[in-house]
Amino acid sequence: AIVLYVVTWNVATAEPPDDVNSLLQLSSPKKPDLFVIGLQEVKAAPLKFVTDLAFEDTWSHLFMNTLAPLGYIKVSSIRMQGLLLLFFSKLEHVPFIRDIQVTYTRTGLYGYWGNKGGVSIRLSFYGHMLCFLNCHLTAHMNYASQRVDEFEYILDAQTFDTKNTPRILDHEVVLWFGDLNFRIEDHGMLFVRNCITSQRFNLLWPKDQLTMMKQKEATLQKFEEGPLDFQPSYKFDLHSDNYDTSGKKRKPAWCDRILWRVKPKSSLTEEANEDGHNEEEPKKQLQEEHKDEFPLKLSQVDYTSKMEYSISDHKPVIGIFHLEMQKMYETPLVQVSAEGEWRADFDALITYSLLQSFPSSAWDWIGLYKVGFKSVSDYITYTWVKDDQVSFSDELFQVYVNKDEIPVLGGECVLCYYSSSLQCIVGISQPFKVQASRVAIEEGLVSENINGLDETVAS
């Protein structure tokens, strides 16, 4: 099964902690395949908003610097004011993550200010359509139905430029998480705190607003959630595990939640029938076509709050999922490899071939990356693919990398073929060694036994 690790955390404009190893459970022996990290209230002064889009914020840097050495790259991200959504994948899956699109919806202050709303990333993973939605809904006890309205508004407003999955609920798997701000009604502070102290969380469930709204709202009934068997994640005194001792004495609540939806099978067959084929035969035929897709199963294996982080008045909440599915394809679109010896004393040769037909273009490029790179834009250099090469054929193509672009000190590298029409990496070479330049060694710039790029990067 594919292991999917989801984090939601309202960071209350704090700067990141020194490390997030415990948050991401990086010491556990089996590492997740995918990390989906949704933050709310990331510091975003209005003036900084524009520059933050151009340069990554401190939170993104921390997660990239933590995960890149472990072989994950940031595949996609989207930021709207204080809302940030990051999607990381193990390198081996990257060529099978395609059709990535992101969008956002503002709901705060009549939609003019992005302090509340939702940001989402949708993509195809081995041919299955997944969508991740990070929301920050309106606050305060008496706005439960307004929160539901906001969620429905976000579901309606967000559309994607794809034929089969233009809306969030069209996707096979939707993960919906964030600071949804639902509170615990009726019970007094003393009762709530006693239930928490004695860990009898189930006594609070019937008065959890999201649980209550779920009973009457059809949209919410489409989503599942694991049992709230953990301490409410809100509201804490800063730098402590004590619930709010300020004058406001806010009641503890499960504001931070992770829910999911797997699209029912029947809706796949219904879609085909809407095309005017409402006979029994095409229905069978469609089930035949779709039979390889099933079962697609999503099961939650953990759902809890991480109490050791105290930079915010919210504790982070994590959900770990197993995704079981039949892969629609196992071959990347492009095979790419480094030919011969690579060093900065002569031009280097790349060969590539198209393994399947796809909309290639003259804007496609092949990047040279250091092993352990952080994101698509983290290349050392790149070269455009062959211009005349738009048709599908199984022949080998060759392109050169100018020797001046090759790192003098060498190091462990990979090549990635980037498709501009699919907006993603569609082929990755085996790792290979770039040798240190002879000239550099002779001129004493590098000692003979240097171990390449890694040293300079570390310094």
Side-chain angles (χ1 to χ4, degrees):
I2 295 289
V3 179
L4 178 64
Y5 195 107
V6 183
V7 176
T8 177
W9 191 6
N10 180 326
V11 298
T13 72
E15 283 301 308
D18 293 336
D19 92 68
V20 284
N21 289 349
S22 145
L23 176 67
L24 304 177
Q25 295 184 10
L26 296 179
S27 54
S28 70
K30 180 151 171 46
K31 300 275 187 290
D33 297 272
L34 307 171
F35 280 101
V36 182
I37 299 164
L39 304 180
Q40 305 85 38
E41 289 194 40
V42 172
K43 191 171 184 178
L47 279 173
K48 267 184 72 192
F49 182 37
V50 178
T51 55
D52 276 347
L53 290 179
F55 307 100
E56 251 123 10
D57 57 284
T58 47
W59 284 94
S60 299
H61 274 297
L62 172 65
F63 286 115
M64 288 198 292
N65 293 339
T66 304
L67 290 170
L70 300 173
Y72 295 90
I73 80 159
K74 190 194 81 178
V75 176
S76 183
S77 63
I78 177 165
R79 167 136 195 213
M80 176 185 83
Q81 207 77 351
L83 275 169
L84 176 65
L85 178 57
L86 303 165
F87 177 76
F88 290 87
S89 168
K90 271 187 182 164
L91 199 58
E92 68 199 69
H93 302 303
V94 169
F96 305 99
I97 299 172
R98 302 176 192 165
D99 303 324
I100 303 163
Q101 291 185 40
V102 300
T103 188
Y104 64 89
T105 307
R106 303 172 192 275
T107 56
L109 277 183
Y110 312 107
Y112 288 121
W113 187 245
N115 61 336
K116 296 282 195 297
V119 291
S120 60
I121 296 174
R122 59 85 61 194
L123 47 88
S124 153
F125 185 66
Y126 291 98
H128 294 275
M129 300 305 167
L130 315 183
C131 185
F132 308 104
L133 171 62
N134 171 21
C135 289
H136 190 184
L137 304 180
T138 208
H140 306 304
M141 178 69 78
N142 42 357
Y143 286 124
S145 54
Q146 191 176 329
R147 292 190 260 282
V148 178
D149 292 346
E150 284 180 351
F151 175 53
E152 292 181 333
Y153 172 73
I154 290 167
L155 289 182
D156 278 344
Q158 298 205 349
T159 55
F160 302 99
D161 182 19
T162 57
K163 197 171 74 137
N164 296 328
T165 52
R167 314 180 80 96
I168 291 177
L169 294 181
D170 297 330
H171 291 75
E172 284 171 74
V173 173
V174 180
L175 278 148
W176 168 40
F177 46 89
D179 178 358
L180 307 185
N181 253 321
F182 289 101
R183 306 303 168 102
I184 294 170
E185 284 189 4
D186 297 349
H187 294 309
M189 180 69 95
L190 192 63
F191 180 76
V192 171
R193 291 199 169 192
N194 281 339
C195 290
I196 293 171
T197 310
S198 61
Q199 298 206 330
R200 288 186 299 174
F201 303 122
N202 57 319
L203 299 181
L204 300 173
W205 296 346
K207 292 296 179 187
D208 166 68
Q209 286 180 334
L210 181 51
T211 308
M212 292 160 74
M213 294 307 274
K214 242 183 139 166
Q215 287 161 4
K216 52 183 187 181
E217 295 285 347
T219 310
L220 296 181
Q221 286 162 10
K222 296 175 177 173
F223 285 84
E224 293 181 64
E225 184 180 21
L228 297 166
D229 260 334
F230 55 89
Q231 259 186 270
S233 53
Y234 174 84
K235 169 184 173 81
F236 290 87
D237 292 342
L238 289 186
H239 311 298
S240 89
D241 285 348
N242 301 326
Y243 284 103
D244 188 12
T245 57
S246 75
K248 287 186 176 166
K249 290 218 171 26
R250 289 260 161 78
K251 228 184 342 179
W254 287 289
C255 289
D256 309 281
R257 311 286 276 266
I258 300 170
L259 295 92
W260 72 93
R261 174 182 191 252
V262 176
K263 190 175 180 187
K265 293 181 201 182
S266 59
S267 54
L268 284 162
T269 41
E270 279 158 21
E271 274 166 22
N273 298 339
E274 282 166 18
D275 302 340
H277 314 296
N278 40 12
E279 308 301 317
E280 196 52 34
E281 268 320 293
K283 189 169 178 179
K284 277 202 189 109
Q285 182 191 335
L286 191 90
Q287 280 166 338
E288 205 53 36
E289 282 167 23
H290 277 293
K291 79 169 194 282
D292 291 347
E293 282 177 47
F294 298 108
L296 180 140
K297 289 203 193 92
L298 187 72
S299 51
Q300 191 175 52
V301 288
D302 198 11
Y303 189 29
T304 188
S305 53
K306 292 295 229 172
M307 295 299 293
E308 60 269 45
Y309 289 91
S310 54
I311 55 172
S312 160
D313 54 352
H314 290 251
K315 300 292 183 188
V317 168
I318 62 139
I320 303 175
F321 296 87
H322 283 174
L323 176 64
E324 290 174 67
M325 57 178 191
Q326 201 128 22
K327 293 176 179 174
M328 305 287 211
Y329 39 77
E330 306 256 2
T331 323
L333 295 177
V334 175
Q335 188 163 16
V336 57
S337 58
E339 292 301 314
E341 189 180 7
W342 278 57
R343 67 165 64 160
D345 305 322
F346 40 80
D347 295 350
L349 179 63
I350 298 172
T351 61
Y352 67 95
S353 58
L354 307 192
L355 302 180
Q356 294 171 49
S357 175
F358 72 99
S360 56
S361 92
W363 297 107
D364 291 0
W365 48 272
I366 296 171
L368 174 67
Y369 292 85
K370 182 178 176 296
V371 166
F373 67 103
K374 297 172 189 173
S375 69
V376 173
S377 54
D378 197 16
Y379 51 78
I380 299 166
T381 181
Y382 66 90
T383 182
W384 297 105
V385 302
K386 278 254 166 88
D387 240 352
D388 53 1
Q389 199 283 297
V390 183
S391 61
F392 171 57
S393 82
D394 50 8
E395 64 183 294
L396 277 181
F397 295 95
Q398 299 190 331
V399 285
Y400 285 91
V401 176
N402 187 309
K403 63 180 190 213
D404 301 337
E405 308 280 318
I406 296 171
V408 173
L409 300 178
E412 283 290 317
C413 293
V414 291
L415 295 166
C416 297
Y417 184 112
Y418 185 85
S419 154
S420 64
S421 55
L422 298 176
Q423 300 262 299
C424 57
I425 289 171
V426 294
I428 301 180
S429 74
Q430 291 296 320
F432 62 97
K433 180 121 176 113
V434 175
Q435 304 297 332
S437 150
R438 286 260 169 257
V439 175
I441 292 170
E442 280 157 24
E443 291 179 3
L445 295 175
V446 206
S447 69
E448 187 76 59
N449 58 2
I450 184 147
N451 143 14
L453 262 184
D454 314 320
E455 317 268 305
T456 49
V457 169
S459 62

